[in-house]
Amino acid sequence: MWIKDLRLLCSLLLFSFSFSGVLAQQRTLTGQVKNKAQEPLYPASVKLIDDSATIIRFALTNQQGKYTLTIPAPASPLWLEVSYVGYKKARLAITAARSEYDFILQPDGTQLDTVTVRLQPSIRLSGDTLKYYVAGFADKDDRSIGDVLRRMPGIEIMADGTIYFNGQKVENLYIHGDDLMDGRYSLATKVIRKEMIERVDVISHHQPIRVLQDKVFTDKTAINLVLKDENSLKLTARLQGGAGLPGLYEAGMSPVLLNKRIKMLQTLAVNNSGVDYRNELASQGAAPFSTPLASSPADVSLSMATIGPPDLPLANYYFNRSGIIHLNNLYNTSKGLQLKANIQGYIDRNSLSYFHRLDNYTQNDTITYLERQSYINKPAILNAAFTVMANRTRGFFNNVTRLQWSKETGSSAMDFNEQSFTQQLRKNVRQFSNDLRWMPALRGKGIGEFGWQTSYRRDRQLLSIGKDYYATLPGQEGYYDAVQQQLTTPTFSSHAYAGYKLTGDRLNQEYKIGFMLSRQPLATALHMEKDGQFIPYAGDDGNDLHWNKQDVYVSGNWQYNRDPWRLTLQLPLTWQHIRYSDPAYNLRERTTRLLFTPSFQARYTISTEQFFSAGYERRNNFGDLSHVYRGALLSNYRMLQANAAGLLQRSTDAFNLDYSYQQSIKMFFSNVGITYDRTLSQTVLSTRITDNIQQIVYLPYENRLTRFGIQGGLSQYLFALKTTASLKARFSRMQYVQFINDALQPFYSNTVLLTGNLLKKPLNKIHLSYQPNVQWSYTRMKALKEGQRSFTQRTFRFDQYGTIGLTVLKKCVVEATARHSYSRASQGDPVQYFFLDSELRYRLSPKGIDCKLQLTNLFNVATYTRYSLSANQAVLDQYFIRGRMAMLRIDYYL
């Protein structure tokens, strides 16, 4: 079975070596560019061009006027062309016997003194900022700035809209220096037209707070979209409409106004064609101006299903009726005050049908769960955030008030192990929070800091399982008319702190003291209904848990800067007091601990574009209320949870080593990193598996979990091939233990993942893209003593995505997209799928209208099967997905 995988890997490696051999047939050209007075010209543009004047390589001269250029083995005559402002261009033919080409440029007598011409290459490095000029990467078929970002080497946009640069997550996306989207930037990349943006600045070591700029170092990366006209008052808009079969529709509008004072980006849209708006509600970026260190409430949740969605593009399986309103408005006053409002509203009705088989391997048996479910989910969300900010060099002030409301209603028809019943789920969440932060500059080099964050959240949930459900509840097994699980968790939290920063030429110091408070009661009740009577669960009294946590902390942070080293040491010391009680179980516990969580980071800079970094972090925590409640909680139809251990105590030692190297002018980016962490906890997860239900309990037992990973990435624009190519690789290993039906089982897992991406435009009328993904995984449940069962599972998966497009009649593009998936597991036959989509796109210019005829799933694949394995489980999921669809879309750009 694995010989085929080895042959496939060898073929890929052979292709890679062959391709590398082609690239290796290169030679290096050098030379110097001067004027008649023998003065070096800097920065002069040196281009390698072919017969059609296509640029194959590009370089700039240094301050001595020298350049170096690596060229491929020529298949046609090549020339070197040199240009510099105020001088005539010069060109020399490349010969095989010559590798040094010097130029003496002649003054251009026709140039007017009053005219200034600037040479702007497609990419330029200026300090910590890498500037991509949009005109150098944009294609005539691109509409949004997101289309252009995907063509820029080193930049990667994930499916949810999150942006990565050279392997590092982009913390935020700014529009002409302003955080208009409040971290939800995926929408902005879709609706901002590329014509509005002059360049994309990737800012390393980004410090968004001006009073700290050039004083406090960060390792964050941000992107800033620089407007072409910062004084424009022109309102642009994108209007969308579409209709198709079977019964599909789509409509939307997105007005945009962007200048240095006013920024406005709104969206109103509806569809039932598989377009998902949820990524536009999620935050892809961080909150750079908000209070750090705020604690999150424990997540205790009920559900109707035990599996997730298929690993397919949403348009293939997302049966929806969705609507969204996204309002983002920002105003900068003349006195430096910024006012901002971000409001999102979302409604949806989505459905999914699937078949699920789960084989649980225990020491004495194999227990199988079979289920078939069709569910409908109706979420509704409303978020609002209002911000007042003053970000000045002499001080920083920020206040954010947030209101959040969400409601979710779900229903399903379930067949589980030959039982047929219905389910209903209700969730209602309300939250209010306020975050105040003030950072004044003090006398000398001191900076003060004060903050207060407070939040209140109320979460109510109700899971109802209908008639004919056989409740496998200890002591109360049987059929009931209904089984209901209620859950309520109101949460109040507060965080207040004060700090002082002292900046110096080489040493920066920061000292902080703070107080955090969290109160979170948990109330649950499980009861059955039969013949009109409510019967409480007899196994226990439910939960009436009262949870209180108080933290008082002091922290010191020191940054030492002396080229080429930058060292950061953080020494937080926290006094933590946790108190929780539940009278029904005579539970009354208090825990007081002194937690020391040091961290250290070192960075060694070799050059502006090359550095090493390493770090160590110690984490200590005591978990939350989800690990200490004693009453049974029916979290879904086959999972009953409770706890028998005390407070979860966990300590983690984490290490990392990273290397980054890039050559911006040559558009080459690379990174590699190693991570290792070891976690020691005083509790272990215990799962008891029976024919119809799983009981999950945390038990007091020392447990050690270790994880190791190594990852790397390459991205390069290949001038000779007119191609952007990238490759990522990752290996991860994990070890841990778990009790299964009272037997202690060690688990091991290894995963290897390879991902590539190729964007190529071989001719002006043809464009290609190809993305392969290969994954190997190995999991093992090891026997500790003779007579115990040992399981080993292996899986292999190969996915590939390809697109080819042809421009015909200048304004018409025909495009085909193919997706192929092949997977094989230790158990079961290989599974493969082939999806084919097509698109005909016609542009009515200069009207700004795009017409698209899209055909999806041309082969009408109606079901999709997925295998997944762990050391003690084998899973088969079969989903019923959308069949063939046809959609006519019209986009109008005002």
Side-chain angles (χ1 to χ4, degrees), residues 14 185 201 271 311 313 388 412 497 520 562 628 651 739 789 849:
L14 181 60
Y185 59 68
D201 290 352
N271 87 91
D311 48 356
V388 178
S412 77
Y497 67 92
Q520 187 177 14
R562 183 174 183 179
V628 297
S651 60
F739 278 99
R789 301 173 73 185
I849 299 176

Side-chain angles (χ1 to χ4, degrees), residues 620-669:
N620 290 297
N621 62 72
F622 282 87
D624 52 44
L625 64 83
S626 64
H627 301 103
V628 297
Y629 64 81
R630 295 296 191 260
L633 178 69
L634 189 68
S635 58
N636 58 61
Y637 54 91
R638 62 172 173 85
M639 193 168 293
L640 189 68
Q641 295 178 292
N643 297 282
L647 193 62
L648 174 65
Q649 182 177 352
R650 181 186 296 135
S651 60
T652 301
D653 295 286
F655 305 84
N656 71 279
L657 177 64
D658 300 286
Y659 171 72
S660 178
Y661 175 66
Q662 65 188 52
Q663 289 182 297
S664 304
I665 295 300
K666 296 183 178 180
M667 301 189 193
F668 173 76
F669 304 87

Side-chain angles (χ1 to χ4, degrees), residues 176 195-197 227-236 256-264 330 894:
H176 213 71
E195 291 83 5
M196 303 178 70
I197 305 302
L227 299 174
K228 279 186 178 179
D229 184 0
E230 65 177 18
N231 298 309
S232 173
L233 293 176
K234 181 180 178 180
L235 178 68
T236 66
V256 179
L257 174 63
L258 301 175
N259 60 55
K260 66 180 180 181
R261 293 284 297 273
I262 301 173
K263 293 179 175 64
M264 179 186 76
L330 182 149
L894 295 175

Side-chain angles (χ1 to χ4, degrees), residues 661-710:
Y661 175 66
Q662 65 188 52
Q663 289 182 297
S664 304
I665 295 300
K666 296 183 178 180
M667 301 189 193
F668 173 76
F669 304 87
S670 66
N671 65 87
V672 64
I674 299 174
T675 59
Y676 173 79
D677 64 76
R678 181 184 60 195
T679 300
L680 180 66
S681 82
Q682 302 304 314
T683 58
V684 65
L685 183 66
S686 175
T687 303
R688 178 172 290 276
I689 303 172
T690 60
D691 289 341
N692 291 309
I693 202 164
Q694 289 179 285
Q695 292 179 268
I696 298 177
V697 179
Y698 280 96
L699 298 176
Y701 188 89
E702 185 173 292
N703 183 17
R704 189 183 304 273
L705 182 147
T706 61
R707 290 180 295 189
F708 170 79
I710 180 169

Side-chain angles (χ1 to χ4, degrees), residues 289-293 435-439 449-453 495-499 501 510 512-516 553:
F289 303 109
S290 299
T291 300
L293 298 177
D435 185 358
L436 173 67
R437 194 178 186 189
W438 179 40
M439 197 177 297
E449 183 175 8
F450 306 92
W452 183 28
Q453 181 187 70
H495 176 204
Y497 67 92
K501 295 179 174 65
E510 178 182 1
K512 186 178 292 186
I513 183 170
F515 172 75
M516 289 191 289
Y553 66 88

